[in-house]
Amino acid sequence: MPVNLTANAISAINGGDVNTKPLVQVVDIKLIGSTQERYRLLLSDSLLTQHAMLATQLNDRVKSGRVRKGSVVQLIEYICSTVQDRKIIVVLNMETIVPECEIIGNPNMFNESDTMPQKSVPDRSSGSTQLTNNNNFVAQNSTRANFSKGNNSSFQNQSNNVQNYPTMVQPPYQPPPNYKNHGAIMKNEAPARIIPIAALNPYQGRWAIKARVTAKGDLRRYNNARGDGKVFSFDLLDSDGGEIRVTCFNAVVDRFFDIIEVGKVYMISKGGLKPAQKNFNHLKNEWEIFLEATSIVDLCLDEDASIPRQQFSFRPISEIEHTENNSILDIIGIVVSVNPCVSILRKNGMETQRRILNLKDQSGRSVELTLWGDFCNREGQQLQEMVETGFFPVLAVKAGKVSDFSGKSIGTISSTQLFINPDSPEALALRDWFDRGGKDVTSQSISRDVMPGGSNNELRKTVAQIKDEGLGRSDKPDWVTVKATISFIKTDTFCYTACPLMIGDRQCNKKVTKSGNSRWLCDRCNQEFEECSYRYLLQVQIQDHTGLTWVTAFQESGEEILGCSAKDLFVIKYEEQDDDRFAEIIRNCLFTEFLFRLKIKEEIYGDEQRVKITVVKADKVDYSVESRFLLDLISKVALNNGRK
């Protein structure tokens, strides 16, 4: 069927038109971009072609084949911007009219001269008038339009004689008079159009977005070669689900820090766009907005219900086992335990708070969540009070950081947000699962040196099998679970003095010694301090019906075995010298049956190779759960014997 593209659409768009909604043809498509997929199109109006960038939210049109080479499309929303002295069309929305079509006409690449004013010149040979541009003829006759007689019957008269029409070039687009500046320089002062966050890119000259603040960072001060400075950032979410980070420096901080509030909706315009720094920005957007002295931030007084208050992309806890270190992600789980808040001395000498809690979900895994700073006494204290009353709340974590120190765990960062019992479908489903029996389901922890992959974490072995099967003698450690009883604990050296300073988000934990001025000295950190930490280094003998072996339990597993911290036990034994109480604590652990998660690895001590067995987790046997495990094991054995 005949397809008539909008005449002179390319010239009109380059002249400023944003309202025509022209029909154009896609002559070529090219995938570009390294950090995020973007498509560059070559658009044609049958006379001229022009490069265009496709907004990322339209990428699926190309991937699905709805837009391809030869497609005729109608541009719904579009703008033309100048980038590096070259004009380019940015397509924000479009519709496919004809999915596939032969290339129409013989178009040439657009250049600036094609939009310059034209004047009419009489054609003395034919008596007709033709339009010229820079004294060059742009159209000679109707054959330049390349219409065929068979496909353009509307251009034939009743005698089937083809009548020649000169091709008319549309005059350049002029902005409405109300938006003109009557001074020496013409300037379009029309309000910038509100566009989706997903459509933002550096090719746009004027834009505005309407979005809700979902997170606001602290005001931070820095010092570098350029001098002192200050910076803060906040995250935005719009009604289309697009997210982007906004950053302010120095004088701009003074303008906007106090007026930005989490949960409020703002209209923002006249900011700069730069590539996002992925080391500090976890949002799924390749750009970041930098507000400037001319930027405008207006609070929207009317609440916009179309913009969600928060957007999550939850990952099951089981997937965290395979997630790269330092990744930023969202998780949701049931809080099953909350540890007390402890003070930690950072390497810079500043003191901070730390609190560890445990989350579990339907994936059959649990994970440690470490709260830092204000989270400990704010949400952390609230969670502890809930758990102590017997209620296990749902906790959603927005932007938690993955750590692979001693297994996989999650930690809070400055941009982290915690939501207790959020009103979301995921939270309701998790609560229903937990109340219907999920609380009695045993979850495997992925924290504290859990083997990546997790398949062998539930592998049951006896004490004798550790030696008989040569576990730990391969290149990688073996991870097994052993049900055994504690028969002996060495009490002469049950702990050591450790460095309390923080290196990044981890405690140093290096052994420290007393210096000449009675202060503790860490050789690794090369710093002195008044107080040190005390960490367990327990040597424990365990046994089952097949034999016995020695294992080593460090801080967390030592607390699980003895039921108190290393510092408390040190004070009882050496400062209070309460030998009876100390002996009672040790005695209460003896001949108690535990499920030990063990890491087994051969190591070299001097010139001797030894197999080292480390306790990564110790749980007292829950006989109800253990009975179900044994019954299930019996059923599997019986089924296998029946097949034989």
Side-chain angles (χ1 to χ4, degrees):
M1 69 176 187
V3 178
N4 296 327
L5 304 181
T6 302
N8 305 298
I10 299 299
S11 296
I13 294 174
N14 279 273
D17 168 53
V18 293
N19 300 313
T20 302
K21 298 183 179 180
L23 289 182
V24 294
Q25 186 175 33
V26 179
V27 177
D28 192 22
I29 300 177
K30 185 177 181 180
L31 177 63
I32 61 174
S34 56
T35 58
Q36 183 178 7
E37 288 186 349
R38 299 191 72 89
Y39 289 96
R40 186 176 68 190
L41 310 182
L42 187 61
L43 302 181
S44 166
D45 62 5
S46 79
L47 291 178
L48 297 173
T49 60
Q50 173 76 355
H51 282 118
M53 292 297 298
L54 194 64
T56 54
Q57 72 267 23
L58 301 179
N59 283 356
D60 64 303
R61 308 281 183 93
V62 177
K63 294 179 179 179
S64 64
R66 293 164 57 190
V67 175
R68 51 186 181 268
K69 186 176 180 180
S71 296
V72 175
V73 299
Q74 182 177 24
L75 304 184
I76 306 300
E77 293 183 74
Y78 53 93
I79 56 176
C80 186
S81 296
T82 301
V83 180
Q84 297 179 349
D85 298 327
R86 186 166 61 96
K87 287 193 173 183
I88 191 167
I89 301 171
V90 180
V91 180
L92 305 176
N93 193 11
M94 66 180 181
E95 293 295 338
T96 301
I97 305 302
V98 179
E100 190 170 5
C101 180
E102 294 292 332
I103 301 301
I104 301 172
N106 186 23
N108 299 313
M109 181 61 71
F110 169 84
N111 58 65
E112 292 294 331
S113 62
D114 293 316
T115 58
M116 294 183 66
Q118 297 89 19
K119 58 183 179 179
S120 61
V121 177
D123 183 357
R124 294 192 172 103
S125 62
S126 62
S128 62
T129 300
Q130 299 178 341
L131 293 175
T132 64
N133 183 5
N134 289 345
N135 299 323
N136 294 324
F137 290 109
V138 297
Q140 295 295 331
N141 50 47
S142 62
T143 59
R144 178 68 180 268
N146 205 24
F147 293 128
S148 65
K149 296 179 181 180
N151 292 334
N152 295 278
S153 58
S154 61
F155 289 92
Q156 298 176 358
N157 57 21
Q158 294 180 351
S159 303
N160 292 326
N161 294 324
V162 179
Q163 183 176 356
N164 293 335
Y165 289 93
T167 302
M168 302 298 294
V169 177
Q170 178 174 316
Y173 175 80
Q174 298 294 334
N178 291 340
Y179 299 149
K180 285 187 177 182
N181 183 343
H182 295 285
I185 299 177
M186 306 302 292
K187 182 179 179 181
N188 187 349
E189 295 181 350
R193 291 188 307 151
I194 298 176
I195 65 173
I197 286 177
L200 282 175
N201 60 74
Y203 307 114
Q204 293 158 306
R206 303 175 67 248
W207 52 263
I209 57 173
K210 183 180 181 182
R212 189 185 304 277
V213 177
T214 58
K216 178 182 178 182
D218 296 330
L219 176 61
R220 295 182 289 111
R221 300 185 183 276
Y222 62 87
N223 180 275
N224 56 27
R226 299 179 181 178
D228 297 335
K230 51 188 175 182
V231 60
F232 92 101
S233 299
F234 56 95
D235 297 340
L236 296 175
L237 172 66
D238 69 6
S239 58
D240 294 319
E243 293 183 286
I244 195 167
R245 175 157 296 174
V246 182
T247 300
C248 305
F249 285 94
N250 301 324
V252 183
V253 172
D254 299 331
R255 287 186 59 198
F256 298 124
F257 184 79
D258 292 333
I259 69 172
I260 296 297
E261 296 182 36
V262 174
K264 297 293 182 66
V265 176
Y266 296 85
M267 192 85 73
I268 299 177
S269 60
K270 296 186 178 180
L273 282 165
K274 296 182 181 179
Q277 300 182 47
K278 288 303 180 182
N279 292 339
F280 311 101
N281 188 343
H282 64 278
L283 300 181
K284 295 179 180 179
N285 197 316
E286 64 175 317
W287 306 111
E288 185 170 341
I289 297 175
F290 287 81
L291 295 186
E292 303 162 347
T294 58
S295 298
I296 298 175
V297 177
D298 292 327
L299 174 65
C300 299
L301 299 178
D302 297 331
E303 173 64 21
D304 191 338
S306 67
I307 305 177
R309 304 198 71 82
Q310 189 55 267
Q311 179 171 266
F312 296 96
S313 181
F314 291 124
R315 300 275 295 276
I317 293 176
S318 58
E319 289 187 8
I320 301 175
E321 292 180 85
H322 315 286
T323 303
E324 292 184 3
N325 187 36
N326 296 326
S327 297
I328 306 297
L329 46 74
D330 303 341
I331 64 168
I332 187 170
I334 298 286
V335 180
V336 294
S337 66
V338 181
N339 291 350
C341 184
V342 296
S343 296
I344 299 294
L345 192 64
R346 291 190 177 274
K347 191 174 181 179
N348 59 7
M350 301 295 291
E351 187 177 89
T352 188
Q353 302 295 311
R354 183 187 70 180
R355 186 192 293 269
I356 298 175
L357 51 87
N358 280 275
L359 302 177
K360 67 183 291 187
D361 67 3
Q362 303 100 314
S363 67
R365 294 288 187 265
S366 63
V367 66
E368 284 187 355
L369 172 65
T370 303
L371 307 183
W372 295 99
D374 293 338
F375 289 112
C376 297
N377 296 323
R378 198 171 57 224
E379 291 89 349
Q381 184 62 35
Q382 185 179 350
L383 291 169
Q384 183 177 10
E385 293 172 357
M386 289 181 174
V387 172
E388 287 177 349
T389 61
F391 177 73
F392 302 96
V394 176
L395 180 66
V397 182
K398 174 74 173 177
K401 184 178 182 180
V402 176
S403 170
D404 61 1
F405 178 71
S406 188
K408 288 294 179 66
S409 61
I410 303 294
T412 60
I413 55 178
S414 60
S415 58
T416 299
Q417 293 178 278
L418 304 180
F419 300 87
I420 301 175
N421 293 322
D423 185 13
S424 69
E426 295 88 353
L428 296 176
L430 193 59
R431 168 57 60 193
D432 183 67
W433 165 80
F434 188 79
D435 293 342
R436 288 178 177 270
K439 60 183 177 182
D440 299 321
V441 175
T442 301
S443 295
Q444 184 69 40
S445 176
I446 67 171
S447 303
R448 300 185 198 172
D449 277 343
V450 173
M451 181 188 69
S455 59
N456 289 338
N457 290 332
E458 301 173 1
L459 184 62
R460 288 287 186 101
K461 295 289 183 180
T462 63
V463 170
Q465 285 177 313
I466 294 176
K467 181 178 180 180
D468 295 343
E469 298 181 8
L471 299 181
R473 298 189 181 277
S474 60
D475 293 336
K476 296 183 179 181
D478 288 305
W479 307 76
V480 298
T481 298
V482 173
K483 183 174 69 172
T485 301
I486 295 176
S487 56
F488 186 77
I489 299 177
K490 289 185 178 181
T491 58
D492 50 349
T493 55
F494 62 87
C495 70
Y496 72 95
T497 52
C499 175
L501 301 181
M502 298 299 297
I503 302 177
D505 58 353
R506 304 176 184 180
Q507 190 170 327
C508 173
N509 291 333
K510 189 75 173 177
K511 186 175 181 179
V512 296
T513 55
K514 278 284 185 72
S515 61
N517 56 4
S518 298
R519 291 167 61 89
W520 295 100
L521 172 66
C522 176
D523 292 332
R524 173 194 282 179
C525 299
N526 195 28
Q527 289 197 36
E528 294 183 351
F529 31 85
E530 295 288 345
E531 295 184 1
C532 67
S533 295
Y534 293 87
R535 295 184 63 83
Y536 276 121
L537 183 59
L538 290 179
Q539 300 297 321
V540 181
Q541 188 182 67
I542 63 172
Q543 67 179 46
D544 65 3
H545 62 287
T546 66
L548 57 84
T549 189
W550 285 94
V551 299
T552 302
F554 291 98
Q555 181 71 352
E556 290 81 4
S557 52
E559 292 177 352
E560 292 168 344
I561 292 171
L562 293 174
C564 64
S565 68
K567 183 177 181 179
D568 291 342
L569 197 60
F570 180 87
V571 170
I572 292 172
K573 181 175 176 63
Y574 294 105
E575 295 184 9
E576 298 178 358
Q577 297 184 348
D578 191 342
D579 294 337
D580 292 339
R581 186 181 174 192
F582 177 83
E584 182 183 2
I585 292 174
I586 301 298
R587 205 165 37 242
N588 288 339
C589 300
L590 299 179
F591 305 107
T592 302
E593 199 170 27
F594 285 84
L595 278 177
F596 293 102
R597 274 71 168 179
L598 303 178
K599 174 186 176 183
I600 309 171
K601 185 71 176 74
E602 187 176 60
E603 297 182 355
I604 298 177
Y605 295 88
D607 297 330
E608 183 181 357
Q609 286 187 332
R610 299 179 186 175
V611 175
K612 182 179 179 180
I613 305 175
T614 304
V615 180
V616 295
K617 192 165 180 60
D619 294 319
K620 289 185 178 180
V621 174
D622 184 331
Y623 291 102
S624 174
V625 175
E626 185 67 11
S627 297
R628 287 197 294 270
F629 171 80
L630 294 175
L631 288 172
D632 184 57
L633 188 62
I634 292 171
S635 299
K636 291 179 180 178
V637 172
L639 180 61
N640 291 334
N641 290 337
R643 290 176 178 174
K644 294 179 180 178

